[in-house]
Amino acid sequence: MKTVYCSILGFGAIGQGVAEILLMKKEYLESIGLEVKVVAIVDSKGATVNPEGVDLADCLARKKKSGTVALEKISGVEAIQSVSHELVIETTPTNIQTGGAGLQNMLAAFQTGKDVITSNKGPLTLKYRELMETAKAAGSHFRFEATVGGSMPIINLSNEVLAGNKVKSIKGILNGTCNYILTRMLEERASYNDILAEAMQLGIAETDPTYDVEGIDTACKLVILANAVFGLDATYNDVEVTGITKVTPEALEMAYERGHVIKLIGEVSRERIHVAPRLVPINHPLAVGGTLNVASVDTELAGEITVTGKGAGPIETSSAILSDLIAIYGN
Amino acid sequence: MRVSMDIELKDVPGQMLLALQPLSECKANLITVVHHHQKRTPRKTVPVKLVLEARPESIETIKAKLEENGIRVVRVGEHRFRESINVVLIGHVVHTGIRDTIDEIDRTGYAEVVDLSLSMPGINMLSSALMKIDAVSKEDLQKALTILKEVSTKKNLLMVLPIDIQA
């Protein structure tokens, strides 16, 4: 049995999802020879640390009750530097302006020779090459399947499962909020603003939806794919971005009458990275509705492979983190 | 350009070769040949339908060479528009001059706006238009879309293109 000592940095929805999944999958992990011990959990208020492993159920209950797991004033970087462990699960909120705490956490993890699994897009969008080089120099594993498409396997699908195939392009719907808004606008023949309000009420859209509806979130995911799958050195500035705020119910209806839906489509190839609303035939594999995400990987040998799945949600996203963990430490 | 050509061959060996030689000499690209062997003409000839791609200036030469070879050319018809797409425009489509937007495409000579649906839900609200554009070839369609993109940028319109078109 291999024991993996890890920390969870960021204990919002995703961090808690990881803790829940580790509890749910304890027996399964043991069956494949893995015991995962979480030695530190850090949220915005501080940390809870136990070198022998914290009680995850207790931490989840405490977080729900008091809004924090913090028992001592320790930051993510301090936990990385002072607590002995080998894996950092980085789930702090995305910040695409500076990389936020996530960037500092990841760099500190690599500098101390730790592996990193993350769901945080910000640092990868801003400093992909620096992070990869630092990880490589330290001999650390660095996996980030959860950053693109939540539960949907796309990076590992392209790089590992489809190994040997040259990927020509990837296109798809990578933002569930935009997909929800466009789907509901057509269903209800309602305006963008009305459906945005509904999405906010349901917690599908953030209070400040700019990041989603202007296509920024999709663009960040494309940057990660451009770098991780196509080997480019792309940043956000390399992406042509148009969001969905101008799409009208009348346009959706006219398109539908001619057999099309309008979807916010992200597209990446070696030549260009592009996000814009596009007309998609109703029977096309990318014409999925609701909050679903979908991606079509166009490969040299296997042709087009399309995957669809839930792009958000704590358990769904954590499932991608779990698969990364097993990819590193499983046999 | 792409043209269709109805020709008639005598029912003797070697006629097809005589028909194809002029195409090869004029560097035309043969797309399809449909040989109606069962449908004899009253002249006892075999009707054959060709679709070929050739430079416009070569068409007359091909026709003359075929006739020199004893092949009757019954009809030559231009296949003008081979490509067709729908494009959605959203914004102040009418007030920024819809006529002018259409003219920009029509005056190219290789693409035309052939259908237009328009929705104007109210004053000061965004209008939506769905335009069908036909073009002579894929390349011409891309050129027409580039023009439409420039016009849309100038008029602050959102252009929504089909997913299989290079945006």
Side-chain angles (χ1 to χ4, degrees), chain A residues 171 189 240 242-243 245-248 250-251 254-255 258 260 262 265 267 272 274 276-281 284 286, chain B residues 86-88 90-91 115 117-119 121 126 128-130 149 156-167:
Chain A
K171 61 173 107 170
R189 211 182 179 281
E240 297 165 59
T242 309
T245 54
K246 258 189 162 179
V247 176
T248 59
E250 295 81 21
M254 281 194 278
R258 282 164 182 76
H260 288 77
I262 298 177
I265 299 290
E267 196 177 348
R272 63 203 298 264
H274 185 263
R278 302 292 286 268
L279 290 167
V280 182
H284 194 282
L286 295 188
Chain B
N86 288 311
V87 179
V88 169
I90 304 170
D115 192 15
S117 306
L118 192 61
S119 174
L126 295 179
S128 310
L130 196 143
K149 192 174 180 183
N156 196 23
L157 306 177
L158 169 65
M159 180 164 93
V160 182
L161 286 172
I163 190 164
D164 52 352
I165 289 285
Q166 173 96 41

Side-chain angles (χ1 to χ4, degrees), chain B residues 7-9 34-37 39-41 45-49:
Chain B
I7 59 172
E8 287 178 13
L9 303 183
V34 183
H35 205 235
H36 296 284
H37 225 285
K39 289 190 209 163
R40 296 302 165 89
T41 67
T45 55
V46 180
V48 174
K49 199 178 194 62

Side-chain angles (χ1 to χ4, degrees), chain A residues 61 120 122 125 137 150 226 326:
Chain A
N120 185 345
T125 308
I326 294 168

Side-chain angles (χ1 to χ4, degrees), chain A residues 14-307:
Chain A
I14 311 285
Q16 292 174 63
V18 171
E20 282 177 37
I21 264 198
L22 288 176
L23 284 171
M24 273 160 58
K25 290 288 172 181
K26 188 172 184 297
E27 279 176 24
Y28 166 73
L29 287 167
E30 282 170 4
S31 77
I32 58 164
L34 286 179
E35 182 190 29
V36 182
K37 283 194 172 179
V38 179
V39 294
I41 299 179
V42 182
D43 66 17
S44 56
K45 306 249 172 28
T48 179
V49 175
N50 182 343
E52 293 308 312
V54 300
D55 181 334
L56 288 176
D58 181 55
C59 289
L60 284 166
R62 191 143 36 93
K63 179 77 181 183
K64 280 186 179 65
K65 195 173 164 205
S66 60
T68 178
V69 283
L71 296 175
E72 38 194 323
K73 194 82 190 148
I74 294 178
S75 70
V77 172
E78 285 164 345
I80 289 166
Q81 289 167 343
S82 63
V83 186
S84 171
H85 58 295
E86 59 198 296
L87 167 68
V88 172
I89 298 175
E90 219 295 327
T91 64
T92 58
T94 288
N95 177 329
I96 62 156
Q97 264 83 44
T98 64
L103 179 60
Q104 305 313 318
N105 289 341
M106 289 178 202
L107 289 172
F110 296 139
Q111 280 150 11
T112 53
K114 294 176 178 61
D115 299 326
V116 173
I117 298 172
T118 188
S119 58
N120 185 345
K121 288 180 288 293
L124 284 140
T125 308
L126 284 172
K127 304 269 181 188
Y128 183 84
R129 180 156 284 193
E130 185 184 335
L131 285 164
M132 290 311 282
E133 283 170 0
T134 315
K136 199 176 166 195
S140 299
H141 292 282
F142 182 27
R143 296 181 72 99
F144 39 85
E145 181 63 64
T147 56
V148 183
S151 65
M152 204 172 66
I154 176 84
I155 298 169
N156 299 341
L157 174 74
S158 306
N159 287 347
E160 292 167 24
V161 181
L162 291 170
N165 272 278
K166 186 176 175 187
V167 176
K168 293 194 281 189
S169 70
I170 299 175
K171 61 173 107 170
I173 300 172
L174 301 174
N175 184 279
T177 307
C178 289
N179 200 17
Y180 179 84
I181 293 172
L182 293 174
T183 305
R184 291 285 296 149
M185 280 174 72
L186 176 63
E187 281 171 0
E188 298 294 327
R189 211 182 179 281
S191 74
Y192 165 79
N193 284 326
D194 288 348
I195 299 296
L196 175 64
E198 176 189 279
M200 282 179 181
Q201 252 173 17
L202 293 171
I204 292 168
E206 309 268 346
T207 331
D208 176 5
T210 314
Y211 186 69
D212 290 319
V213 298
E214 295 293 354
I216 301 165
D217 175 66
T218 302
C220 289
K221 290 167 178 167
L222 292 178
V223 168
I224 295 174
L225 291 176
N227 294 330
V229 177
F230 294 90
L232 304 179
D233 186 18
T235 65
Y236 180 77
N237 293 330
D238 298 313
V239 193
E240 297 165 59
V241 190
T242 309
I244 63 161
T245 54
K246 258 189 162 179
V247 176
T248 59
E250 295 81 21
L252 285 158
E253 204 177 351
M254 281 194 278
Y256 192 74
E257 280 165 9
R258 282 164 182 76
H260 288 77
V261 283
I262 298 177
K263 299 288 179 188
L264 186 72
I265 299 290
E267 196 177 348
V268 54
S269 66
R270 278 169 191 81
E271 289 74 40
R272 63 203 298 264
I273 317 173
H274 185 263
V275 183
R278 302 292 286 268
L279 290 167
V280 182
I282 289 165
N283 56 4
H284 194 282
L286 295 188
V288 301
T291 57
L292 281 177
N293 280 23
V294 60
S296 207
V297 184
D298 189 12
T299 65
E300 183 193 22
L301 304 174
E304 275 195 84
I305 308 271
T306 304
V307 283

